[in-house]
Amino acid sequence: MIRKFIVLTVATLLAYASCGDNDLPSTDGGAAAVRPIGGHPVDAAGNYTANATSFTVFVLGAAGGPVESRVSGYLIHPANSSNMLGFDCGSLMSGLRQAAKVVSSTAPFNALKGKLSSRDIHRNVISGYLVSHAHIDHMSGLIIASADERASNKTAGILPKAILGLNSTLVNIHNHAFNNQLWPDLALFGFYFYQQLIPGSVAHNVSGIQGLDAIAFPVSHGSNYLSTCFLLGTNLSNLEAAEGSAILLCGDLGTDANEKSVYMNDMWTAVAPLVASSRLKAIMIECSFPTATSTGALFGHLTPALLFQELHTLAKKVGSDNALKGMKVLIQHIKENDVDDDTGVSASVGVVAQELESLNDVGVDLIFTHEKVGGAISV
């Protein structure tokens, strides 16, 4: 695969290298893993067209716990694609059962005869999974639902699905989840293959979706533990170009100051040109706890105050206080620790949402994913 690189600081690359545990076993799906299945509009040479598309996010779950059926889980649908990518599927089939009707009403699926079932979507529409880190609330749905996947069979047109992430994430998944102890090693049996994303490198035709690029940015999620933000879009080999669209999908993360890192700074530097050119359509980012939460109790997460510190940093790098005005910011992973059994309402979620609204001096369009479970967000 031809890779093109953006610049990350030496400190970031050295820190990333120091966090790798082992090399992954050879489970790459090879040429068969790249499916010519359509996707973004491309020309005869396989390049994106100027009318690069945006995305629909289907919300399968949105919370940071403790209710297992509501934890993080998203499907990312590049417009005009016949496939989707799962992102941090702690929730999967439970959310798909709610979202299947909405998926079926979305182009191009609305042109099919009949409604897609949750099983249809799981088996035939999801072509791969982005995993930001291997904490169980971000991959339990993927693991449990794997029991209904199919082993690759080229004659039948069934190809293994990609599990994409940083090396440290994939090693954790292989060693501690699909390890023939906690769960069968399904990569070994042809259900999945691991695709390592190198920080600062552009991966093309992600999970077989033509024209879709990805860049992985390592971020810190607690002491010496990496999570990931994934930049998905078109024409990501040239972040300075005017053409193309993108969405930034962030897993769990903490600020550089709290985590003693430079990861967030490097990421905002890289994506600032996309904001300036209006190519970045949305940022999905966590906000787990109320602002009053002590630093020691954050465990590598954000509060509303810390989130807006980060957004101010991004705006400064773009060069304007109004740079983020109207930007869609999808809030996820709010902890629902105090949900009322009768009403289903969490007081702490209300506090976080209220704080975010009151602190929004950069004019972003706040969208709360916990209000959209079973539904869709278009960006």
Side-chain angles (χ1 to χ4, degrees):
M1 179 181 291
I2 298 174
R3 297 181 182 273
K4 297 183 180 180
F5 293 85
I6 61 173
V7 176
L8 296 179
T9 66
V10 172
T12 290
L13 293 173
L14 288 176
Y16 170 73
S18 69
C19 288
D21 301 304
N22 298 287
D23 290 329
L24 282 167
S26 180
T27 58
D28 194 327
V34 180
R35 310 169 184 81
I37 53 176
H40 288 278
V42 292
D43 60 22
N47 300 313
Y48 79 98
T49 62
N51 295 321
T53 59
S54 55
F55 304 84
T56 301
V57 178
F58 296 97
V59 183
L60 310 181
V67 181
E68 62 270 18
S69 63
R70 289 180 56 84
V71 294
S72 301
Y74 306 92
L75 298 181
I76 313 301
H77 179 227
N80 301 319
S81 177
S82 56
N83 288 86
M84 303 187 202
L85 284 171
F87 169 56
D88 276 6
C89 288
S91 292
L92 185 49
M93 296 307 294
S94 60
L96 263 182
R97 289 181 173 180
Q98 298 180 66
K101 184 176 180 179
V102 181
V103 173
S104 293
S105 67
T106 304
F109 311 112
N110 57 2
L112 300 174
K113 292 182 179 179
K115 171 182 168 290
L116 286 171
S117 69
S118 57
R119 193 184 200 199
D120 292 332
I121 298 166
H122 176 233
R123 281 187 159 195
N124 302 317
V125 177
I126 300 172
S127 62
Y129 295 91
L130 297 163
V131 183
S132 68
H133 62 295
H135 283 169
I136 200 69
D137 59 320
H138 293 259
M139 57 177 295
S140 54
L142 164 61
I143 296 171
I144 297 297
S146 67
D148 195 44
E149 290 282 17
R150 296 167 294 177
S152 60
N153 183 324
K154 292 182 181 179
T155 302
I158 301 170
L159 299 174
K161 295 184 179 182
I163 298 177
L164 304 102
L166 298 177
N167 182 70
S168 56
T169 299
L170 300 182
V171 166
N172 281 332
I173 293 172
H174 174 73
N175 287 348
H176 304 297
F178 293 125
N179 62 356
N180 282 328
Q181 300 295 320
L182 182 70
W183 205 255
D185 183 358
L186 295 181
L188 182 64
F189 297 109
F191 289 75
Y192 303 105
F193 70 95
Y194 298 116
Q195 183 176 345
Q196 180 183 354
L197 299 179
I198 308 298
S201 171
V202 182
H204 301 292
N205 300 325
V206 176
S207 198
I209 301 178
Q210 271 193 342
L212 183 65
D213 297 337
I215 301 174
F217 295 96
V219 288
S220 183
H221 176 36
S223 177
N224 198 36
Y225 188 82
L226 288 182
S227 180
T228 320
C229 293
F230 299 101
L231 184 67
L232 287 184
T234 52
N235 200 27
L236 296 188
S237 293
N238 186 355
L239 300 183
E240 303 286 344
E243 299 85 9
S245 60
I247 183 171
L248 183 65
L249 307 168
C250 290
D252 294 354
L253 54 84
T255 66
D256 283 345
N258 286 347
E259 301 293 306
K260 297 179 175 56
S261 73
V262 295
Y263 294 128
M264 295 293 287
N265 181 75
D266 282 1
M267 181 176 70
W268 296 140
T269 299
V271 304
L274 297 177
V275 178
S277 62
S278 299
R279 287 177 59 189
L280 187 64
K281 304 304 180 184
I283 299 170
M284 178 185 282
I285 194 165
E286 68 126 283
C287 192
S288 296
F289 297 107
T291 296
T293 308
S294 67
T295 300
L298 289 177
F299 298 101
H301 289 291
L302 295 181
T303 67
L306 294 175
L307 172 55
F308 276 101
Q309 284 181 24
E310 293 299 326
L311 293 180
H312 276 286
T313 298
L314 174 57
K316 184 176 180 181
K317 289 182 179 294
V318 179
S320 168
D321 291 338
N322 297 319
L324 301 183
K325 188 173 182 179
M327 168 74 71
K328 288 185 167 109
V329 176
L330 283 55
I331 302 298
Q332 66 144 333
H333 205 268
I334 304 177
K335 299 286 186 178
E336 299 179 338
N337 294 333
D338 54 1
V339 175
D340 184 274
D341 288 340
D342 295 322
T343 65
V345 174
S346 166
S348 59
V349 170
V351 170
V352 170
Q354 185 177 34
E355 290 183 349
L356 286 166
E357 296 281 10
S358 65
L359 290 169
N360 186 11
D361 57 351
V362 292
V364 296
D365 179 9
L366 291 169
I367 299 173
F368 296 97
T369 57
H370 69 274
E371 297 175 350
K372 306 289 186 179
V373 174
I377 303 167
S378 296
V379 300

